[in-house]
Amino acid sequence: MQAESPAIRIVKGACPHDCPDTCALKITVENGRAIKVQGAADHASTHGALCTKVSRYPERTYHPERLLRPMRRVSRKDEAPRFEPVSWDEAMSDIAARLKPIAARDPEAILPYSYAGTMGMVQGEGMAARFFNKLGASRLDRTICASAGGAAMNATYGHRLGMHLRFYAESRLILIWGSNSIASNLHFWTYANQAKRNGAKLICIDPRKTETADKCHQHIALLPGSDGALALGLMHELIRNGWLDQDYIDNYVDGWDELRERALQWPPERVAEVCGISPEEVRGLARDYGTTSPAAIRLNYGMQRVRGGGNAVRLIALLPCLTGAWHHRAGGMLLTASGWVAPFKNVDGLEKPELLAGRTPRTINMSTIGDDLLRESSAEFGPKIEAVIVYNSNPVAVAPESPKVVKGFQREDLFTVVLEHFMTDTADLADYVLPATTQLEHLDVHASYGHTSVLINEVAIEPVGEARPNTEFFRLLAARMGFDDACFAETDEQLARQAFTSEIDFEALREQGWQDLPLADAPFANGGFRTPSGKALAGGADFVPNYESRASTPELAARYPLAMISPPARNFLNSSFVNVKSLRDIEGEPILEIHASDAASRGIADGSMVRAFNDRGSYLCKASISSRARPGVVNGLGVWWRKLGAAGSNVNEVTHQRLTDLGRAPSFYDCLVEVAPA
Ligand SMILES: Nc1nc2c(c(=O)[nH]1)N[C@H]1C(S)=C(S)[C@@H](COP(=O)(O)OP(=O)(O)OC[C@H]3O[C@@H](n4cnc5c(=O)[nH]c(N)nc54)[C@H](O)[C@@H]3O)O[C@H]1N2
Ligand SMILES: Nc1nc2c(c(=O)[nH]1)N[C@H]1C(S)=C(S)[C@@H](COP(=O)(O)OP(=O)(O)OC[C@H]3O[C@@H](n4cnc5c(=O)[nH]c(N)nc54)[C@H](O)[C@@H]3O)O[C@H]1N2
Ligand SMILES: [Mo]
């Protein structure tokens, strides 16, 4: 650590964003102002490097448009938003006065809406969950990102577990499957790149020719939603060519006979037809995978945002069982590491489910918020939603089929409170907006879904303006609602100290900034999955076609022939950072990548404005004629703030709310559109 002058302090932090990397931060504070945010050099996966976005974190924290005071709406919901500043005291009294009569009629008419704006265990669902449990509010099923893949891992291995990141550096073959790692998982890429320098072959499996695909030896540009078919085709070839580890299968896989039968129905020609690739690509990929050891798969969430996403994850996750790749610490697969830390988390201590006192409120799926805000009371649905408290999320921008989400939040009879750093699209439709602290201003502790350390985030600076931590909002509201249980008085430090089980020493965490979990290097070398039998479960996994595609809905495809995916833009994090000008300038403007042949047949010129549309809506953006798009697929890079887009809309204008086969998740990338010059 560098010598510190009295005015300069170095504070240990953790990146709060929804990203597998969860970097350890080193924050330089001079005279009470954060002047630099860097990656900790001695944390293994962070290794001193940050992405462009988070190295701009001070710019976001001191942004001139940062919300500094509580704001109360003075305009109608369907007009341009106008707000007036109010004191915290007045805001909290008003909010409690609005919620009380609703709660007296039926607390399930009140809904929390939150996701991973911060992944912190303190500023996430700790105090907030206590509040909503005590209230008996509707519960929220937090499905918007990862639940198809999560359910698939549970159904296959009994938990969300996989390889350790650092051993990818020793792999001889890496399949980067449905992941733009350079953009969204940079610190994994460092290990993959190390393997590449040591002679490993890297293959990217992605409909889009991403910057990651550019750096791999091979790119297989399959059609969105066809991954399950590709996995079955690989199994077919592994079986036909005898590239199986029959011992591993016999000892550690349940349901192999059924899976084998199914895979034998997927010869390369059939797979090629469904995936829109060549039979040689299927055969070559199978040969590489079947004959290289150790072989590793880095699966990411991109490929599970389609109807069959859950089953596709199941099939891909089973591949290392067929070849016995799990024997080696540099073989196997990783979708998420969140199962490793799960036994070290004290979720019940943080959230106190006992405050429900025997009640079991209904659950609302966050991915169908558009439909659900527009529902009336009914026996089946329960009470109409009358109030929503939004924190750590921007549903108006990120939830599917936004025309309905907007209409729902525009209801004059809906009472909406938003805790935010900025006036997002969702804040624009709120009755009250409360200024929230950023990661530099509050205490938190973090786990990761990429690596296997836990981290602390110390307070670096005083709150900017009148910003307060999410926890403080819920403490104040609890008091105003008359909730006097002692747990509502706990401080953030008390919450942070309870977040983990006793294996994690809080003082040691403070000392070093993080702690690595004690885990085996090659955890599944001899099976040992977390299923009741200890075996991987192969039964039932099958290819599930898209809701919308040329093959499954030919009539729809006649009108809307292009498959649209909407993966994240590199310099944004979902809809966060879109308002940071230096980052927005790098992204330019909302872009739709389209292949030259699809552009030519529609009279679309490079750089011209186009409409991507279907029966749900129409999204205005700029066409980029690009080899990043394959024929038949357009890439609408996300997730722009609607109000910073070309016509006040973003890519979710055209996505739908139908759910995945497993996990009740949205199928953002299972979406047909037509594109025309604007
Ligand atoms: N810079 C940046 N980093 C991020 C994010 C961000 O918005 N920006 N988001 C964060 C979040 S919330 C998450 S969940 C994680 C992971 O986020 P993911 O959503 O997994 O993001 P990507 O790694 O970009 O992976 C998506 C990739 O999958 C591809 N893809 C789309 N459809 C298919 C398909 O059907 N099959 C296959 N094989 N590939 C498909 C896309 O073209 C894209 O390259 O990343 C996090 N990191
Ligand atoms: N079309 C399409 N839509 C998508 C995706 C896609 O790939 N394509 N990706 C999906 C995925 S993977 C995800 S995870 C979701 C993400 O959706 P969200 O979880 O809603 O993520 P963000 O858009 O980043 O919005 C997070 C908000 O939380 C706020 N925030 C951050 N920290 C704090 C805090 O400490 N306190 C409070 N009160 N607020 C805070 C930020 O300012 C930001 O506005 O979007 C999904 N939507
Ligand atoms: Mo996500």
PDB file of all heavy atoms in Angstrom, residues 18 53 145 178-180 183-184 205-208 210 224-225 227 300-303 305 565 568-570 572-574 669, ligand 1:
ATOM      1  N   ASP A  18     -23.934  -6.111 -11.052  1.00  0.00           N
ATOM      2  CA  ASP A  18     -24.410  -7.442 -11.380  1.00  0.00           C
ATOM      3  C   ASP A  18     -23.532  -8.007 -12.484  1.00  0.00           C
ATOM      4  O   ASP A  18     -23.856  -7.949 -13.657  1.00  0.00           O
ATOM      5  CB  ASP A  18     -25.870  -7.346 -11.829  1.00  0.00           C
ATOM      6  CG  ASP A  18     -26.474  -8.709 -12.074  1.00  0.00           C
ATOM      7  OD1 ASP A  18     -25.738  -9.709 -11.970  1.00  0.00           O
ATOM      8  OD2 ASP A  18     -27.673  -8.774 -12.363  1.00  0.00           O
ATOM      9  N   LYS A  53     -16.088   0.841 -17.240  1.00  0.00           N
ATOM     10  CA  LYS A  53     -17.241   1.407 -16.530  1.00  0.00           C
ATOM     11  C   LYS A  53     -16.911   1.739 -15.077  1.00  0.00           C
ATOM     12  O   LYS A  53     -17.145   2.843 -14.606  1.00  0.00           O
ATOM     13  CB  LYS A  53     -18.409   0.400 -16.499  1.00  0.00           C
ATOM     14  CG  LYS A  53     -18.869  -0.097 -17.834  1.00  0.00           C
ATOM     15  CD  LYS A  53     -19.984  -1.131 -17.686  1.00  0.00           C
ATOM     16  CE  LYS A  53     -19.561  -2.440 -17.032  1.00  0.00           C
ATOM     17  NZ  LYS A  53     -18.554  -3.224 -17.720  1.00  0.00           N
ATOM     18  N   CYS A 145     -32.990 -12.496 -14.683  1.00  0.00           N
ATOM     19  CA  CYS A 145     -31.669 -12.705 -15.267  1.00  0.00           C
ATOM     20  C   CYS A 145     -31.296 -14.174 -15.396  1.00  0.00           C
ATOM     21  O   CYS A 145     -30.953 -14.643 -16.472  1.00  0.00           O
ATOM     22  CB  CYS A 145     -30.648 -11.986 -14.388  1.00  0.00           C
ATOM     23  SG  CYS A 145     -28.956 -12.341 -14.789  1.00  0.00           S
ATOM     24  N   GLY A 178     -22.269 -18.763 -25.331  1.00  0.00           N
ATOM     25  CA  GLY A 178     -23.309 -17.799 -24.934  1.00  0.00           C
ATOM     26  C   GLY A 178     -22.756 -16.757 -23.987  1.00  0.00           C
ATOM     27  O   GLY A 178     -23.424 -16.335 -23.052  1.00  0.00           O
ATOM     28  N   SER A 179     -21.543 -16.334 -24.211  1.00  0.00           N
ATOM     29  CA  SER A 179     -20.920 -15.365 -23.318  1.00  0.00           C
ATOM     30  C   SER A 179     -20.002 -14.448 -24.108  1.00  0.00           C
ATOM     31  O   SER A 179     -19.122 -14.917 -24.826  1.00  0.00           O
ATOM     32  CB  SER A 179     -20.090 -16.102 -22.262  1.00  0.00           C
ATOM     33  OG  SER A 179     -19.309 -15.175 -21.542  1.00  0.00           O
ATOM     34  N   ASN A 180     -20.232 -13.169 -23.983  1.00  0.00           N
ATOM     35  CA  ASN A 180     -19.290 -12.206 -24.547  1.00  0.00           C
ATOM     36  C   ASN A 180     -18.344 -11.800 -23.426  1.00  0.00           C
ATOM     37  O   ASN A 180     -18.458 -10.727 -22.832  1.00  0.00           O
ATOM     38  CB  ASN A 180     -20.063 -11.006 -25.108  1.00  0.00           C
ATOM     39  CG  ASN A 180     -19.144 -10.002 -25.773  1.00  0.00           C
ATOM     40  OD1 ASN A 180     -17.949 -10.252 -25.918  1.00  0.00           O
ATOM     41  ND2 ASN A 180     -19.700  -8.872 -26.152  1.00  0.00           N
ATOM     42  N   ALA A 183     -16.627  -8.410 -22.844  1.00  0.00           N
ATOM     43  CA  ALA A 183     -17.513  -7.317 -22.440  1.00  0.00           C
ATOM     44  C   ALA A 183     -18.097  -7.538 -21.050  1.00  0.00           C
ATOM     45  O   ALA A 183     -18.204  -6.598 -20.273  1.00  0.00           O
ATOM     46  CB  ALA A 183     -18.642  -7.156 -23.447  1.00  0.00           C
ATOM     47  N   SER A 184     -18.478  -8.760 -20.746  1.00  0.00           N
ATOM     48  CA  SER A 184     -19.321  -8.927 -19.551  1.00  0.00           C
ATOM     49  C   SER A 184     -18.688  -9.782 -18.467  1.00  0.00           C
ATOM     50  O   SER A 184     -19.308 -10.021 -17.441  1.00  0.00           O
ATOM     51  CB  SER A 184     -20.673  -9.522 -19.946  1.00  0.00           C
ATOM     52  OG  SER A 184     -20.507 -10.849 -20.343  1.00  0.00           O
ATOM     53  N   ILE A 205     -19.218 -19.814 -29.111  1.00  0.00           N
ATOM     54  CA  ILE A 205     -20.502 -20.284 -29.645  1.00  0.00           C
ATOM     55  C   ILE A 205     -21.539 -19.219 -29.354  1.00  0.00           C
ATOM     56  O   ILE A 205     -21.979 -19.054 -28.208  1.00  0.00           O
ATOM     57  CB  ILE A 205     -20.882 -21.637 -29.016  1.00  0.00           C
ATOM     58  CG1 ILE A 205     -19.758 -22.653 -29.246  1.00  0.00           C
ATOM     59  CG2 ILE A 205     -22.220 -22.136 -29.575  1.00  0.00           C
ATOM     60  CD1 ILE A 205     -19.938 -23.970 -28.504  1.00  0.00           C
ATOM     61  N   ASP A 206     -21.903 -18.452 -30.360  1.00  0.00           N
ATOM     62  CA  ASP A 206     -22.691 -17.239 -30.129  1.00  0.00           C
ATOM     63  C   ASP A 206     -23.272 -16.772 -31.468  1.00  0.00           C
ATOM     64  O   ASP A 206     -22.532 -16.704 -32.460  1.00  0.00           O
ATOM     65  CB  ASP A 206     -21.743 -16.154 -29.555  1.00  0.00           C
ATOM     66  CG  ASP A 206     -22.479 -14.951 -28.977  1.00  0.00           C
ATOM     67  OD1 ASP A 206     -23.399 -14.439 -29.633  1.00  0.00           O
ATOM     68  OD2 ASP A 206     -22.104 -14.515 -27.877  1.00  0.00           O
ATOM     69  N   PRO A 207     -24.552 -16.432 -31.539  1.00  0.00           N
ATOM     70  CA  PRO A 207     -25.094 -15.944 -32.810  1.00  0.00           C
ATOM     71  C   PRO A 207     -24.385 -14.681 -33.291  1.00  0.00           C
ATOM     72  O   PRO A 207     -24.307 -14.420 -34.489  1.00  0.00           O
ATOM     73  CB  PRO A 207     -26.561 -15.609 -32.480  1.00  0.00           C
ATOM     74  CG  PRO A 207     -26.842 -16.260 -31.178  1.00  0.00           C
ATOM     75  CD  PRO A 207     -25.544 -16.453 -30.468  1.00  0.00           C
ATOM     76  N   ARG A 208     -23.884 -13.896 -32.347  1.00  0.00           N
ATOM     77  CA  ARG A 208     -23.243 -12.633 -32.696  1.00  0.00           C
ATOM     78  C   ARG A 208     -21.732 -12.817 -32.747  1.00  0.00           C
ATOM     79  O   ARG A 208     -21.155 -13.496 -31.891  1.00  0.00           O
ATOM     80  CB  ARG A 208     -23.601 -11.580 -31.643  1.00  0.00           C
ATOM     81  CG  ARG A 208     -22.953 -10.241 -31.870  1.00  0.00           C
ATOM     82  CD  ARG A 208     -23.489  -9.162 -30.919  1.00  0.00           C
ATOM     83  NE  ARG A 208     -22.899  -7.875 -31.253  1.00  0.00           N
ATOM     84  CZ  ARG A 208     -22.018  -7.230 -30.486  1.00  0.00           C
ATOM     85  NH1 ARG A 208     -21.646  -7.714 -29.317  1.00  0.00           N
ATOM     86  NH2 ARG A 208     -21.516  -6.076 -30.887  1.00  0.00           N
ATOM     87  N   THR A 210     -18.989 -11.460 -31.608  1.00  0.00           N
ATOM     88  CA  THR A 210     -18.650 -10.485 -30.573  1.00  0.00           C
ATOM     89  C   THR A 210     -17.157 -10.178 -30.580  1.00  0.00           C
ATOM     90  O   THR A 210     -16.376 -10.846 -31.270  1.00  0.00           O
ATOM     91  CB  THR A 210     -18.993 -11.059 -29.185  1.00  0.00           C
ATOM     92  OG1 THR A 210     -18.218 -12.259 -29.014  1.00  0.00           O
ATOM     93  CG2 THR A 210     -20.471 -11.394 -29.058  1.00  0.00           C
ATOM     94  N   PRO A 224     -30.160 -18.156 -32.523  1.00  0.00           N
ATOM     95  CA  PRO A 224     -30.560 -18.028 -31.112  1.00  0.00           C
ATOM     96  C   PRO A 224     -31.528 -19.148 -30.726  1.00  0.00           C
ATOM     97  O   PRO A 224     -32.432 -19.486 -31.490  1.00  0.00           O
ATOM     98  CB  PRO A 224     -31.278 -16.674 -31.056  1.00  0.00           C
ATOM     99  CG  PRO A 224     -30.925 -15.950 -32.307  1.00  0.00           C
ATOM    100  CD  PRO A 224     -30.465 -16.954 -33.305  1.00  0.00           C
ATOM    101  N   GLY A 225     -31.322 -19.703 -29.559  1.00  0.00           N
ATOM    102  CA  GLY A 225     -32.249 -20.710 -29.046  1.00  0.00           C
ATOM    103  C   GLY A 225     -31.998 -22.110 -29.577  1.00  0.00           C
ATOM    104  O   GLY A 225     -32.782 -23.017 -29.314  1.00  0.00           O
ATOM    105  N   ASP A 227     -29.107 -23.903 -28.969  1.00  0.00           N
ATOM    106  CA  ASP A 227     -27.971 -24.509 -28.245  1.00  0.00           C
ATOM    107  C   ASP A 227     -28.243 -25.934 -27.770  1.00  0.00           C
ATOM    108  O   ASP A 227     -27.342 -26.769 -27.748  1.00  0.00           O
ATOM    109  CB  ASP A 227     -27.594 -23.634 -27.040  1.00  0.00           C
ATOM    110  CG  ASP A 227     -27.273 -22.225 -27.472  1.00  0.00           C
ATOM    111  OD1 ASP A 227     -28.222 -21.431 -27.655  1.00  0.00           O
ATOM    112  OD2 ASP A 227     -26.096 -21.910 -27.661  1.00  0.00           O
ATOM    113  N   ASN A 300     -22.440 -18.777 -20.216  1.00  0.00           N
ATOM    114  CA  ASN A 300     -22.973 -17.617 -19.507  1.00  0.00           C
ATOM    115  C   ASN A 300     -24.451 -17.493 -19.800  1.00  0.00           C
ATOM    116  O   ASN A 300     -25.014 -18.299 -20.533  1.00  0.00           O
ATOM    117  CB  ASN A 300     -22.188 -16.342 -19.819  1.00  0.00           C
ATOM    118  CG  ASN A 300     -22.103 -15.432 -18.598  1.00  0.00           C
ATOM    119  OD1 ASN A 300     -23.009 -15.418 -17.767  1.00  0.00           O
ATOM    120  ND2 ASN A 300     -21.047 -14.659 -18.475  1.00  0.00           N
ATOM    121  N   TYR A 301     -25.064 -16.479 -19.223  1.00  0.00           N
ATOM    122  CA  TYR A 301     -26.520 -16.444 -19.222  1.00  0.00           C
ATOM    123  C   TYR A 301     -27.128 -16.079 -20.558  1.00  0.00           C
ATOM    124  O   TYR A 301     -28.330 -16.233 -20.745  1.00  0.00           O
ATOM    125  CB  TYR A 301     -27.003 -15.514 -18.114  1.00  0.00           C
ATOM    126  CG  TYR A 301     -26.800 -16.125 -16.754  1.00  0.00           C
ATOM    127  CD1 TYR A 301     -25.809 -15.685 -15.888  1.00  0.00           C
ATOM    128  CD2 TYR A 301     -27.597 -17.181 -16.358  1.00  0.00           C
ATOM    129  CE1 TYR A 301     -25.614 -16.276 -14.653  1.00  0.00           C
ATOM    130  CE2 TYR A 301     -27.414 -17.785 -15.126  1.00  0.00           C
ATOM    131  CZ  TYR A 301     -26.429 -17.333 -14.274  1.00  0.00           C
ATOM    132  OH  TYR A 301     -26.253 -17.928 -13.060  1.00  0.00           O
ATOM    133  N   GLY A 302     -26.311 -15.607 -21.500  1.00  0.00           N
ATOM    134  CA  GLY A 302     -26.858 -15.184 -22.787  1.00  0.00           C
ATOM    135  C   GLY A 302     -27.698 -16.245 -23.459  1.00  0.00           C
ATOM    136  O   GLY A 302     -28.722 -15.952 -24.070  1.00  0.00           O
ATOM    137  N   MET A 303     -27.266 -17.520 -23.336  1.00  0.00           N
ATOM    138  CA  MET A 303     -27.951 -18.572 -24.099  1.00  0.00           C
ATOM    139  C   MET A 303     -29.191 -19.124 -23.397  1.00  0.00           C
ATOM    140  O   MET A 303     -29.869 -19.965 -23.951  1.00  0.00           O
ATOM    141  CB  MET A 303     -26.974 -19.692 -24.475  1.00  0.00           C
ATOM    142  CG  MET A 303     -26.050 -20.160 -23.395  1.00  0.00           C
ATOM    143  SD  MET A 303     -26.872 -21.061 -22.094  1.00  0.00           S
ATOM    144  CE  MET A 303     -27.575 -22.387 -23.065  1.00  0.00           C
ATOM    145  N   ARG A 305     -31.714 -17.116 -22.329  1.00  0.00           N
ATOM    146  CA  ARG A 305     -32.823 -16.148 -22.419  1.00  0.00           C
ATOM    147  C   ARG A 305     -33.731 -16.469 -23.606  1.00  0.00           C
ATOM    148  O   ARG A 305     -34.073 -15.602 -24.404  1.00  0.00           O
ATOM    149  CB  ARG A 305     -32.266 -14.733 -22.564  1.00  0.00           C
ATOM    150  CG  ARG A 305     -31.261 -14.356 -21.474  1.00  0.00           C
ATOM    151  CD  ARG A 305     -31.003 -12.864 -21.435  1.00  0.00           C
ATOM    152  NE  ARG A 305     -29.728 -12.567 -20.814  1.00  0.00           N
ATOM    153  CZ  ARG A 305     -29.448 -12.759 -19.528  1.00  0.00           C
ATOM    154  NH1 ARG A 305     -30.374 -13.254 -18.727  1.00  0.00           N
ATOM    155  NH2 ARG A 305     -28.261 -12.462 -19.054  1.00  0.00           N
ATOM    156  N   ILE A 565     -31.765 -10.593 -31.080  1.00  0.00           N
ATOM    157  CA  ILE A 565     -31.224 -10.740 -29.728  1.00  0.00           C
ATOM    158  C   ILE A 565     -30.828  -9.353 -29.232  1.00  0.00           C
ATOM    159  O   ILE A 565     -30.592  -8.441 -30.031  1.00  0.00           O
ATOM    160  CB  ILE A 565     -30.020 -11.715 -29.664  1.00  0.00           C
ATOM    161  CG1 ILE A 565     -28.893 -11.261 -30.598  1.00  0.00           C
ATOM    162  CG2 ILE A 565     -30.450 -13.129 -30.008  1.00  0.00           C
ATOM    163  CD1 ILE A 565     -27.604 -12.058 -30.439  1.00  0.00           C
ATOM    164  N   PRO A 568     -26.041  -7.230 -23.890  1.00  0.00           N
ATOM    165  CA  PRO A 568     -25.578  -5.970 -23.311  1.00  0.00           C
ATOM    166  C   PRO A 568     -24.497  -5.267 -24.129  1.00  0.00           C
ATOM    167  O   PRO A 568     -23.665  -5.912 -24.758  1.00  0.00           O
ATOM    168  CB  PRO A 568     -25.004  -6.375 -21.951  1.00  0.00           C
ATOM    169  CG  PRO A 568     -24.981  -7.854 -21.899  1.00  0.00           C
ATOM    170  CD  PRO A 568     -25.806  -8.380 -23.008  1.00  0.00           C
ATOM    171  N   ALA A 569     -24.548  -3.946 -24.111  1.00  0.00           N
ATOM    172  CA  ALA A 569     -23.466  -3.146 -24.677  1.00  0.00           C
ATOM    173  C   ALA A 569     -22.301  -3.165 -23.689  1.00  0.00           C
ATOM    174  O   ALA A 569     -22.495  -3.174 -22.479  1.00  0.00           O
ATOM    175  CB  ALA A 569     -23.938  -1.719 -24.912  1.00  0.00           C
ATOM    176  N   ARG A 570     -21.098  -3.151 -24.227  1.00  0.00           N
ATOM    177  CA  ARG A 570     -19.919  -3.325 -23.387  1.00  0.00           C
ATOM    178  C   ARG A 570     -19.767  -2.228 -22.331  1.00  0.00           C
ATOM    179  O   ARG A 570     -19.337  -2.478 -21.207  1.00  0.00           O
ATOM    180  CB  ARG A 570     -18.684  -3.345 -24.284  1.00  0.00           C
ATOM    181  CG  ARG A 570     -17.387  -3.511 -23.531  1.00  0.00           C
ATOM    182  CD  ARG A 570     -16.254  -3.729 -24.501  1.00  0.00           C
ATOM    183  NE  ARG A 570     -15.012  -3.925 -23.781  1.00  0.00           N
ATOM    184  CZ  ARG A 570     -13.873  -4.249 -24.367  1.00  0.00           C
ATOM    185  NH1 ARG A 570     -13.831  -4.442 -25.668  1.00  0.00           N
ATOM    186  NH2 ARG A 570     -12.783  -4.393 -23.665  1.00  0.00           N
ATOM    187  N   PHE A 572     -22.090  -0.310 -20.925  1.00  0.00           N
ATOM    188  CA  PHE A 572     -23.186  -0.145 -19.965  1.00  0.00           C
ATOM    189  C   PHE A 572     -23.262  -1.407 -19.136  1.00  0.00           C
ATOM    190  O   PHE A 572     -22.725  -2.445 -19.497  1.00  0.00           O
ATOM    191  CB  PHE A 572     -24.531   0.037 -20.674  1.00  0.00           C
ATOM    192  CG  PHE A 572     -24.578   1.196 -21.635  1.00  0.00           C
ATOM    193  CD1 PHE A 572     -25.395   1.148 -22.753  1.00  0.00           C
ATOM    194  CD2 PHE A 572     -23.821   2.337 -21.407  1.00  0.00           C
ATOM    195  CE1 PHE A 572     -25.457   2.206 -23.647  1.00  0.00           C
ATOM    196  CE2 PHE A 572     -23.877   3.407 -22.298  1.00  0.00           C
ATOM    197  CZ  PHE A 572     -24.695   3.340 -23.425  1.00  0.00           C
ATOM    198  N   LEU A 573     -23.973  -1.309 -18.021  1.00  0.00           N
ATOM    199  CA  LEU A 573     -24.266  -2.502 -17.264  1.00  0.00           C
ATOM    200  C   LEU A 573     -25.765  -2.594 -17.131  1.00  0.00           C
ATOM    201  O   LEU A 573     -26.350  -1.867 -16.349  1.00  0.00           O
ATOM    202  CB  LEU A 573     -23.589  -2.489 -15.899  1.00  0.00           C
ATOM    203  CG  LEU A 573     -23.479  -3.941 -15.477  1.00  0.00           C
ATOM    204  CD1 LEU A 573     -22.108  -4.342 -15.112  1.00  0.00           C
ATOM    205  CD2 LEU A 573     -24.501  -4.270 -14.478  1.00  0.00           C
ATOM    206  N   ASN A 574     -26.377  -3.408 -17.970  1.00  0.00           N
ATOM    207  CA  ASN A 574     -27.823  -3.369 -18.137  1.00  0.00           C
ATOM    208  C   ASN A 574     -28.163  -1.923 -18.434  1.00  0.00           C
ATOM    209  O   ASN A 574     -27.579  -1.339 -19.338  1.00  0.00           O
ATOM    210  CB  ASN A 574     -28.532  -3.970 -16.925  1.00  0.00           C
ATOM    211  CG  ASN A 574     -28.085  -5.418 -16.723  1.00  0.00           C
ATOM    212  OD1 ASN A 574     -27.966  -6.148 -17.703  1.00  0.00           O
ATOM    213  ND2 ASN A 574     -27.807  -5.806 -15.512  1.00  0.00           N
ATOM    214  N   TYR A 669     -34.304 -13.137 -25.768  1.00  0.00           N
ATOM    215  CA  TYR A 669     -33.611 -13.363 -27.047  1.00  0.00           C
ATOM    216  C   TYR A 669     -34.384 -14.332 -27.944  1.00  0.00           C
ATOM    217  O   TYR A 669     -33.831 -14.895 -28.875  1.00  0.00           O
ATOM    218  CB  TYR A 669     -32.194 -13.882 -26.817  1.00  0.00           C
ATOM    219  CG  TYR A 669     -31.280 -13.020 -25.959  1.00  0.00           C
ATOM    220  CD1 TYR A 669     -30.066 -13.498 -25.499  1.00  0.00           C
ATOM    221  CD2 TYR A 669     -31.637 -11.711 -25.613  1.00  0.00           C
ATOM    222  CE1 TYR A 669     -29.219 -12.715 -24.710  1.00  0.00           C
ATOM    223  CE2 TYR A 669     -30.806 -10.930 -24.825  1.00  0.00           C
ATOM    224  CZ  TYR A 669     -29.604 -11.438 -24.374  1.00  0.00           C
ATOM    225  OH  TYR A 669     -28.770 -10.680 -23.587  1.00  0.00           O
TER     226      TYR A 669
HETATM  227  N1  LIG B   1     -20.267  -4.763 -19.800  1.00  0.00           N
HETATM  228  C1  LIG B   1     -21.276  -5.422 -19.262  1.00  0.00           C
HETATM  229  N2  LIG B   1     -21.027  -6.464 -18.448  1.00  0.00           N
HETATM  230  C2  LIG B   1     -22.060  -7.168 -17.917  1.00  0.00           C
HETATM  231  C3  LIG B   1     -23.403  -6.815 -18.167  1.00  0.00           C
HETATM  232  C4  LIG B   1     -23.635  -5.678 -19.001  1.00  0.00           C
HETATM  233  O1  LIG B   1     -24.789  -5.280 -19.237  1.00  0.00           O
HETATM  234  N3  LIG B   1     -22.553  -5.021 -19.522  1.00  0.00           N
HETATM  235  N4  LIG B   1     -24.416  -7.527 -17.624  1.00  0.00           N
HETATM  236  C5  LIG B   1     -24.119  -8.343 -16.470  1.00  0.00           C
HETATM  237  C6  LIG B   1     -25.183  -9.303 -16.244  1.00  0.00           C
HETATM  238  S1  LIG B   1     -26.642  -8.711 -15.597  1.00  0.00           S
HETATM  239  C7  LIG B   1     -25.066 -10.591 -16.481  1.00  0.00           C
HETATM  240  S2  LIG B   1     -26.406 -11.600 -16.194  1.00  0.00           S
HETATM  241  C8  LIG B   1     -23.773 -11.169 -16.922  1.00  0.00           C
HETATM  242  C9  LIG B   1     -23.935 -12.154 -18.027  1.00  0.00           C
HETATM  243  O2  LIG B   1     -24.513 -11.495 -18.997  1.00  0.00           O
HETATM  244  P1  LIG B   1     -24.960 -12.160 -20.308  1.00  0.00           P
HETATM  245  O3  LIG B   1     -26.309 -11.689 -20.649  1.00  0.00           O
HETATM  246  O4  LIG B   1     -24.679 -13.589 -20.313  1.00  0.00           O
HETATM  247  O5  LIG B   1     -24.037 -11.355 -21.214  1.00  0.00           O
HETATM  248  P2  LIG B   1     -22.969 -11.767 -22.242  1.00  0.00           P
HETATM  249  O6  LIG B   1     -21.777 -12.367 -21.664  1.00  0.00           O
HETATM  250  O7  LIG B   1     -22.829 -10.556 -23.079  1.00  0.00           O
HETATM  251  O8  LIG B   1     -23.631 -12.964 -23.028  1.00  0.00           O
HETATM  252  C10 LIG B   1     -24.577 -12.794 -23.873  1.00  0.00           C
HETATM  253  C11 LIG B   1     -24.018 -13.403 -25.154  1.00  0.00           C
HETATM  254  O9  LIG B   1     -24.900 -14.433 -25.510  1.00  0.00           O
HETATM  255  C12 LIG B   1     -25.149 -14.319 -26.879  1.00  0.00           C
HETATM  256  N5  LIG B   1     -26.400 -14.994 -27.186  1.00  0.00           N
HETATM  257  C13 LIG B   1     -27.621 -14.475 -27.332  1.00  0.00           C
HETATM  258  N6  LIG B   1     -28.499 -15.435 -27.626  1.00  0.00           N
HETATM  259  C14 LIG B   1     -27.814 -16.596 -27.661  1.00  0.00           C
HETATM  260  C15 LIG B   1     -28.170 -17.950 -27.922  1.00  0.00           C
HETATM  261  O10 LIG B   1     -29.325 -18.300 -28.153  1.00  0.00           O
HETATM  262  N7  LIG B   1     -27.174 -18.873 -27.882  1.00  0.00           N
HETATM  263  C16 LIG B   1     -25.880 -18.543 -27.628  1.00  0.00           C
HETATM  264  N8  LIG B   1     -24.977 -19.502 -27.618  1.00  0.00           N
HETATM  265  N9  LIG B   1     -25.534 -17.266 -27.380  1.00  0.00           N
HETATM  266  C17 LIG B   1     -26.483 -16.319 -27.380  1.00  0.00           C
HETATM  267  C18 LIG B   1     -25.115 -12.840 -27.147  1.00  0.00           C
HETATM  268  O11 LIG B   1     -24.862 -12.560 -28.489  1.00  0.00           O
HETATM  269  C19 LIG B   1     -24.018 -12.357 -26.228  1.00  0.00           C
HETATM  270  O12 LIG B   1     -22.779 -12.299 -26.864  1.00  0.00           O
HETATM  271  O13 LIG B   1     -22.902 -10.165 -17.386  1.00  0.00           O
HETATM  272  C20 LIG B   1     -22.790  -9.058 -16.550  1.00  0.00           C
HETATM  273  N10 LIG B   1     -21.772  -8.213 -17.094  1.00  0.00           N
END
